[in-house]
Amino acid sequence: MPEEKVTPASNFLRNIIERDLAQGAFASRHWAGSPGDAAHHAAGAPDPAKIRTRFPPEPNGYLHIGHAKSICLNFGLARDYDGVCHMRFDDTNPEKEEQEYVDGITNMVHWLGFGWEKYGKSHLYFASSYFDFMYRAAEYLIEAGHAYIDQQSADEMRATRGTLTEPGKNSPWRDRPAAESLALFREMRDGKHPDGAMVLRAKIDMTSPNINMRDPAIYRIKHATHHNTGDQWCVYPMYTYAHPLEDAVEGVTHSICTLEFEDQRPFYDWVLERLAEGGLLAHPLPKQYEFARLNLTYVVLSKRRLIELVEQEHVNGWDDPRMPTLVGAKRRGYTPEGFRLFAERIGVAKADSWIEYTILEDCMRETLNESAERRIAVLDPLKLVIDNYPQDQSEDCHAPNHPQKPELGKRVVPLSRELWIEREDFAEEPPKGYFRLFPGNRVRLRYGYVIECTGCEKDEHGKVIAVHCNYLPDTKSGTPGADSIKVKGNIHWVSAAHACAVEVRLYDRLFKGPHPGAGDRNYLDDLNPDSVKTITAQLEPALKDAKPEERFQFERHGYFVVDSKDGVTGEPVFNRTVTLRDAWQK
Ligand code: ATP
Ligand code: MG
């Protein structure tokens, strides 16, 4: 795992872990080298991992920036406290999961810089491999009088659940003999009943103020083929039952989830306690802690909306560089270091809030400023002719690859009579305070000579099509005469004879408002109509050798990454990751 330069700031989760470590709260745990029940672990050695956390996505979609927060948090805590973080696929729902998502998710967690190899073992797990244990645990709960088969219809169950202000009513099946529930449960498992005919419910308290404790369903019938277990099962555990058991068999110590699960915590503890009483699990049991999920301005993170954006073709797929998915962010040129810095910077809190998108962009700028080599690109090319420079001559100028890192050396930038400059670097009639090219003014060609503008050529519509100038031969950068003439402007350029014309995509935010869909607006109405602009830019010749995913700073413009035209192979293009400065700040 990567070494982080930043010292992690303290937060409530770190405080809890430090307290637990100081008290030896989890020191007595044994770990058998693989997940299992109490007996399995008891036969193993003391757990070498001081803590165990987990990242438990459902493999039913692509990871987004919110998941990155959870990944950095869980893997980061395990790294910092001499523990291990399990990569667990929560694939207990038979209908939704796909291998494509499993691969996509593991790739992105690796990309973020985290892994699950530790003590010579992989800690990649699938919750569906615990179905046997979950089933056995359910039988135990029935036998111990903690669960029963309810044959009420879904409507009846809903009607008797009560409300926030009214208690629920006991099911007529609640006190049936355990043996009867057990027999029915086995019939469910054996495929004797159709979907929805009955469910297994925990027997807790229909009058509890917490609705989640009013005899929640823990197993249901579902005649469906599972991607991992095939047709072996036609009963599947409910998420709220499965999740604590998954944590427990994996010896997880700190089970960190988002705030919406807070009301589930009493059930989490209840079910684990009951199974520990029965000897199926051992103390100390995992503990659940909740933190605020990431809400980011200018972004939607709900899976439903992301699917809509793709299906209604507002974007070109899940990995469109404007998507808040991690595959999209990667193609956009966002860096894993930037995400880790972001996670560290925003920290974790116990109350929901909004994080400004600029914070994420600043983290990307900071990491890219460190790592990206500088290059020259002219995005809106206008011809500049140096009239006193010989027609067939060219010469080398030298540009540093990184202004703060001389060890990265310099590269050759050829100069010749005709150059490309930015259209906005010339003004026939300069506005006040304009220091760039206008007739009679002198500027420096970055890494080259001082030039003096002599005029321009226009087409029949009055549009400037070329600018003319003369150069001052003794003023080349890096020579003794360089400072003999002082100028205020310094413009970038590429030699027309040496430049390469390449497609560049100028990406911007996908949504134009900070809270897409806030109030009663449709979030789609907040889409930014100018979230991408495709141009042909003139690039310095060194960029001809750029490799896919290589990132550069285009001087004065921002950070760009090499992508390919169709996102996979084919002609290279450059995607703008982020501008040098925030253009959205009001
Ligand atoms: P859904 O529940 O709609 O399927 P999800 O985004 O919750 O989608 P999961 O696969 O359940 O997807 O998420 C995996 C983990 O990522 C969970 O532990 C969850 O807490 C965490 N997570 C998801 N969204 C965010 C977010 N916006 N901020 C922080 N963590 C998140
Ligand atoms: Mg979820």
Side-chain angles (χ1 to χ4, degrees):
M1 278 188 230
E3 286 297 315
E4 233 64 325
K5 273 172 291 184
V6 276
T7 319
S10 192
N11 60 50
F12 78 99
L13 290 170
R14 288 181 181 271
N15 293 343
I16 288 166
I17 292 171
E18 284 163 22
R19 178 204 65 198
D20 287 345
L21 290 176
Q23 296 176 348
F26 291 98
S28 63
R29 287 171 316 117
H30 282 233
W31 168 250
S34 59
D37 63 8
H40 175 76
H41 286 306
D47 192 347
K50 298 277 193 304
I51 62 165
R52 287 182 187 264
T53 56
R54 83 286 172 272
F55 174 62
E58 232 181 291
N60 65 351
Y62 287 89
L63 296 181
H64 55 60
I65 299 174
H67 293 117
K69 174 177 177 178
S70 175
I71 293 166
C72 292
L73 178 63
N74 281 294
F75 283 94
L77 289 172
R79 173 197 61 208
D80 294 347
Y81 292 102
D82 196 12
V84 51
C85 178
H86 297 186
M87 176 70 234
R88 179 205 303 153
F89 286 100
D90 205 326
D91 60 350
T92 50
N93 186 346
E95 284 168 330
K96 291 198 280 187
E97 291 89 15
E98 282 179 42
Q99 187 62 36
E100 175 196 349
Y101 298 127
V102 169
D103 296 339
I105 290 169
T106 52
N107 285 342
M108 282 301 112
V109 178
H110 276 141
W111 180 73
L112 282 175
F114 299 105
W116 39 88
E117 299 284 330
K118 191 127 191 213
Y119 317 116
K121 277 218 157 75
S122 162
H123 297 83
L124 171 71
Y125 302 118
F126 288 86
S128 59
S129 55
Y130 314 141
F131 280 159
D132 279 319
F133 175 77
M134 292 173 184
Y135 178 82
R136 190 156 56 86
E139 284 207 348
Y140 164 76
L141 292 175
I142 296 170
E143 286 166 347
H146 297 311
Y148 61 97
I149 296 292
D150 195 345
Q151 284 170 273
Q152 291 184 102
S153 69
D155 283 343
E156 286 167 330
M157 266 188 263
R158 208 169 301 122
T160 52
R161 196 186 295 132
T163 64
L164 284 174
T165 50
E166 271 171 68
K169 292 191 190 67
N170 285 353
S171 162
W173 306 103
R174 195 174 198 264
D175 293 317
R176 75 194 319 168
E180 193 178 301
S181 283
L182 190 60
L184 285 169
F185 189 47
R186 289 177 177 170
E187 287 179 20
M188 278 169 60
R189 176 199 60 191
D190 295 338
K192 303 246 166 71
H193 300 284
D195 289 7
M198 53 190 77
V199 292
L200 181 66
R201 294 179 80 173
K203 193 192 280 187
I204 311 179
D205 180 4
M206 289 304 291
T207 66
S208 170
N210 182 342
I211 293 183
N212 299 295
M213 296 296 272
R214 294 182 190 167
D215 293 8
I218 60 179
Y219 253 97
R220 61 187 164 147
I221 305 170
K222 197 150 210 169
H223 293 270
T225 304
H226 186 280
H227 79 116
N228 201 10
T229 56
D231 293 324
Q232 192 189 339
W233 296 94
C234 61
V235 289
Y236 290 95
M238 304 300 284
Y239 178 83
T240 47
Y241 170 75
H243 199 83
L245 271 61
E246 293 160 22
D247 286 342
V249 295
E250 290 181 18
V252 163
T253 55
H254 300 81
S255 176
I256 299 163
C257 60
T258 42
L259 282 175
E260 67 269 26
F261 293 100
E262 193 171 1
D263 291 344
Q264 293 290 352
R265 185 168 7 108
F267 178 72
Y268 183 103
D269 291 335
W270 180 91
V271 70
L272 295 185
E273 284 294 344
R274 298 294 81 72
L275 295 175
E277 284 165 9
L280 280 82
L281 299 175
H283 284 280
L285 295 165
K287 286 268 173 268
Q288 175 182 305
Y289 298 97
E290 306 87 22
F291 72 105
R293 68 192 302 116
L294 175 67
N295 297 311
L296 199 56
T297 58
Y298 296 95
V299 161
V300 297
L301 290 178
S302 117
K303 220 173 263 176
R304 188 177 56 77
R305 288 178 173 181
L306 297 181
I307 289 170
E308 257 169 28
L309 289 171
V310 173
E311 287 182 349
Q312 299 179 14
E313 299 183 8
H314 299 290
V315 293
N316 304 315
W318 287 98
D319 64 349
D320 186 300
R322 292 165 295 178
M323 283 287 273
T325 53
L326 295 183
V327 275
K330 182 178 177 218
R331 278 189 63 200
R332 179 73 173 259
Y334 281 21
T335 63
E337 298 79 16
F339 277 114
R340 295 199 297 269
L341 180 62
F342 176 66
E344 201 54 61
R345 197 160 282 174
I346 60 176
V348 285
K350 279 197 266 195
D352 275 318
S353 67
W354 283 85
I355 300 293
E356 294 294 334
Y357 197 77
T358 47
I359 296 179
L360 178 62
E361 289 181 319
D362 281 341
C363 290
M364 296 305 158
R365 287 186 183 102
E366 278 180 44
T367 56
L368 287 165
N369 180 39
E370 272 288 305
S371 59
E373 291 203 357
R374 277 38 174 183
R375 292 291 184 270
I376 302 167
V378 175
L379 301 187
D380 186 9
L382 173 63
K383 190 64 79 64
L384 174 74
V385 184
I386 311 174
D387 290 309
N388 63 342
Y389 197 90
Q391 191 84 51
D392 299 316
Q393 188 174 314
S394 76
E395 66 186 280
D396 291 347
C397 297
H398 295 89
N401 287 321
H402 196 293
Q404 284 92 45
K405 294 183 176 176
E407 67 277 14
L408 292 178
K410 293 187 173 194
R411 64 193 189 283
V412 168
V413 183
L415 177 126
S416 63
R417 188 169 190 267
E418 296 197 357
L419 310 178
W420 294 112
I421 61 167
E422 296 292 345
R423 184 165 285 279
E424 64 169 29
D425 284 345
F426 172 76
E428 198 178 7
E429 281 161 36
K432 208 159 169 270
Y434 188 86
F435 296 131
R436 289 168 278 170
L437 275 181
F438 54 88
N441 194 38
R442 288 174 173 180
V443 301
R444 174 170 295 282
L445 293 174
R446 206 155 208 197
Y447 316 120
Y449 295 94
V450 172
I451 57 170
E452 182 170 319
C453 183
T454 53
C456 65
E457 286 170 51
K458 295 184 197 169
D459 66 11
E460 68 270 29
H461 307 293
K463 185 180 175 188
V464 176
I465 51 170
V467 177
H468 287 266
C469 69
N470 286 318
Y471 82 116
L472 283 61
D474 295 332
T475 60
K476 191 171 180 181
S477 291
T479 66
D483 294 329
S484 60
I485 292 184
K486 297 266 180 261
V487 290
K488 283 189 177 159
N490 186 325
I491 67 173
H492 67 269
W493 50 274
V494 294
S495 162
H498 302 85
C500 40
V502 173
E503 180 174 313
V504 171
R505 286 102 176 250
L506 301 177
Y507 287 110
D508 202 346
R509 294 180 187 176
L510 185 56
F511 290 94
K512 61 182 188 289
H515 304 286
D520 40 22
R521 281 199 315 279
N522 180 345
Y523 75 102
L524 293 172
D525 294 337
D526 290 328
L527 278 166
N528 176 5
D530 301 315
S531 58
V532 62
K533 193 173 150 206
T534 301
I535 59 167
T536 300
Q538 297 287 348
L539 311 186
E540 67 163 278
L543 285 167
K544 277 180 191 150
D545 303 324
K547 313 245 172 345
E549 295 183 32
E550 241 187 307
R551 304 181 182 94
F552 297 98
Q553 183 194 102
F554 288 175
E555 293 188 18
R556 295 171 68 201
H557 290 304
Y559 296 96
F560 291 73
V561 65
V562 184
D563 192 13
S564 56
K565 210 161 190 139
D566 56 13
V568 193
T569 50
E571 223 176 292
V573 299
F574 282 83
N575 293 339
R576 181 168 69 196
T577 307
V578 64
T579 53
L580 288 182
R581 267 168 291 280
D582 183 11
W584 285 75
Q585 210 78 274
K586 278 168 222 120

